[in-house]
Amino acid sequence: MISLHGHPSGRHFLQIPGPTNVPDRVLRAMHHATIDHRGPQFGDLGQAVLQGMQWVFQTRSPVVIYPSSGTGAWEAALVNTLSPGDAVLMAETGHFAALWHRLASRLGLDVEIIEGDWRHGADPSRIQERLAADTGHRIKAVCVVHNETSTGALTDIAQVRQAIDRSGHPALLMVDAISSLGALDYRHDEWGVDVGVAGSQKGLMLPPGLSFNALSERALAAAQRARLPRSYWDWGAMLPINATGYFPYTPATTLLYGLHEALDMLRAEGLEQVFARHQRLAGATRAAVQAWGLEIVCQDAAARSDALTAVLMPAGHSADALRKVILERYDMSLGQGLGRLSGKVFRIGHLGDFNDLSLCGTLAGVEMGLAAAGVPHRRGGLQAAVDYLGRLAAGAAQAA
Ligand SMILES: *Cc1c(COP(=O)(O)O)cnc(C)c1O
């Protein structure tokens, strides 16, 4: 129990879908004197993290690192490639798609959003239809959220790419991978993404404060023509100096030490293994939710996110009251419902520095909280997750 006067015993469970738990190794790596970001030591660090980010994005194109939250990298993607009044097509997958839409509108872009019910990923066939109808090629970019963190629904980016190609449309493809990069498979080059947007505080296991743009040849060509005002976010100022590992203005040196360590950890585990771990823990979480008899927000079973699970409350019960009980009794933070899902949904983050036992602790906290808050449910969610993990482990042992 949290006490106002003492320190709660044991670790806080930060099970929101970002910021995520920062591994001790990363914390220790940031316990480092700040160095001269123009001095001889810095260039090696800068080059290592810039190259490391290309590896995580699965791209050969440059990656730009900003000292900002993910929202800054959203803005950077748009201002570097577009001009005032350009038409942009977005897909309303949930709260984050709606926020990116609002940001784009405020920049003076002419944004059309394909409406959605916040329970599915973006529909590639509707994107294709809309692009096919745009015979004059007014639309300059298609922007989609890969992992919609407000709903736990994934969009199939390879299919969005195919939809754009099939319509023969030259629009750029921009993807918000803020809560997928480093947790779920994201293939920047293979999927033909022109600008990939990411942040430090989700799959990359870092504190908030860094954001990223992964580019493409076409994005760089668009940047030559783009006329939206840009200065702080300008790729043109970043790229030449990044080539030597340096930055045009003061980078977040301490966070870059952390990023270097987090990249080492991801490399040691291997990206395939990282994705498989998220898949396994997500499957176990969904088994628990189903055993409780609660409803998962994402209605498309194939699109359910491996990074988080958003759960609908039974009618008449407040998700915020449940989250309050869980925080006060068990010192665990769960994600709140965002936007139109406020109060109706709680979100279990199962991404980043997370394993079988941290999942079991998390699900135990939810199950005890459901009982304590008087939320109607069946018992046995934790057991269902344990059984799920046990079956997978037995299957893996047999296969070996
Ligand atoms: C967290 C998140 C954002 C917002 O990032 P900030 O770092 O809060 O600016 C945007 N999109 C998605 C999908 C996210 O998960």
Side-chain angles (χ1 to χ4, degrees):
M1 257 235 227
I2 269 199
S3 140
L4 288 177
H5 305 291
H7 185 278
S9 186
R11 283 269 172 141
H12 174 66
F13 271 55
L14 181 68
Q15 295 319 134
I16 60 178
T20 63
N21 294 289
V22 179
D24 291 350
R25 266 182 66 176
V26 172
L27 290 173
R28 281 194 296 271
M30 293 188 297
H31 191 117
H32 196 297
T34 306
I35 58 168
D36 174 5
H37 63 285
R38 304 200 195 279
Q41 263 186 301
F42 186 86
D44 290 344
L45 172 67
Q47 275 182 324
V49 293
L50 286 162
Q51 283 163 15
M53 286 310 298
Q54 290 179 299
W55 171 74
V56 196
F57 269 107
Q58 304 186 46
T59 185
R60 290 173 191 280
S61 290
V63 173
V64 172
I65 304 179
Y66 295 109
S68 85
S69 88
T71 302
W74 267 348
E75 179 160 336
L78 301 172
V79 297
N80 275 288
T81 53
L82 299 169
S83 298
D86 274 357
V88 173
L89 183 64
M90 290 186 160
E92 186 199 8
T93 45
H95 186 65
F96 288 103
L99 289 179
W100 200 8
H101 171 253
R102 188 179 70 185
L103 184 152
S105 305
R106 285 176 177 169
L107 290 175
L109 295 165
D110 176 11
V111 199
E112 180 183 336
I113 191 152
I114 299 174
E115 282 182 14
D117 65 358
W118 292 38
R119 302 198 68 173
H120 296 83
D123 180 351
S125 64
R126 291 182 66 191
I127 292 172
Q128 186 174 340
E129 242 168 60
R130 187 61 198 87
L131 291 178
D134 179 38
T135 48
H137 297 168
R138 275 196 64 246
I139 296 170
K140 300 299 178 210
V142 175
C143 301
V144 288
V145 176
H146 182 208
N147 183 67
E148 176 53 78
T149 320
S150 63
T151 67
L154 201 67
T155 288
D156 187 327
I157 302 302
Q159 281 192 22
V160 172
R161 174 81 261 167
Q162 280 175 19
I164 297 173
D165 292 348
R166 271 200 293 263
S167 62
H169 198 289
L172 296 171
L173 173 58
M174 305 200 194
V175 175
D176 171 346
I178 295 180
S179 62
S180 51
L181 195 77
L184 315 181
D185 200 2
Y186 172 85
R187 306 180 187 186
H188 188 78
D189 286 0
E190 188 182 318
W191 294 344
V193 180
D194 293 300
V195 190
V197 176
S200 54
Q201 76 272 30
K202 308 209 174 163
L204 295 175
M205 309 178 289
L206 291 165
L210 293 179
S211 71
F212 310 92
N213 275 174
L215 316 183
S216 74
E217 292 288 334
R218 293 183 66 231
L220 285 164
Q224 301 294 319
R225 304 183 296 267
R227 284 178 292 102
L228 277 175
R230 60 189 197 260
S231 169
Y232 186 77
W233 306 115
D234 190 7
W235 297 339
M238 276 280 190
L239 294 174
I241 186 161
N242 274 177
T244 54
Y246 292 86
F247 289 78
Y249 45 74
T250 316
T253 321
T254 307
L255 285 168
L256 295 181
Y257 281 120
L259 177 59
H260 190 269
E261 190 72 10
L263 288 165
D264 265 3
M265 291 177 69
L266 290 171
R267 270 210 195 83
E269 188 175 357
L271 278 185
E272 288 301 320
Q273 285 73 22
V274 168
F275 304 149
R277 171 168 55 83
H278 282 85
Q279 200 173 34
R280 184 174 83 246
L281 299 171
T285 305
R286 294 191 283 261
V289 176
Q290 273 150 11
W292 289 324
L294 299 178
E295 201 180 331
I296 293 173
V297 170
C298 177
Q299 288 180 312
D300 175 0
R304 286 182 179 156
S305 168
D306 289 339
L308 77 138
T309 300
V311 183
L312 272 176
M313 290 297 284
H317 291 269
S318 155
D320 294 341
L322 170 68
R323 290 190 314 107
K324 183 167 185 283
V325 166
I326 291 173
L327 179 60
E328 288 176 353
R329 292 208 185 185
Y330 306 117
D331 195 19
M332 175 163 74
S333 299
L334 295 174
Q336 67 184 85
L338 294 171
R340 71 163 81 144
L341 300 176
S342 174
K344 299 183 180 131
V345 158
F346 68 91
R347 296 173 299 142
I348 305 170
H350 36 77
L351 76 161
D353 186 37
F354 198 60
N355 64 18
D356 291 32
L357 293 192
S358 29
L359 174 74
C360 290
T362 299
L363 295 175
V366 176
E367 188 156 336
M368 291 191 287
L370 289 167
V375 178
H377 69 289
R378 290 195 302 267
R379 288 161 52 181
L382 173 59
Q383 187 62 50
V386 168
D387 292 345
Y388 180 97
L389 294 174
R391 277 197 305 277
L392 284 191
Q398 224 162 37

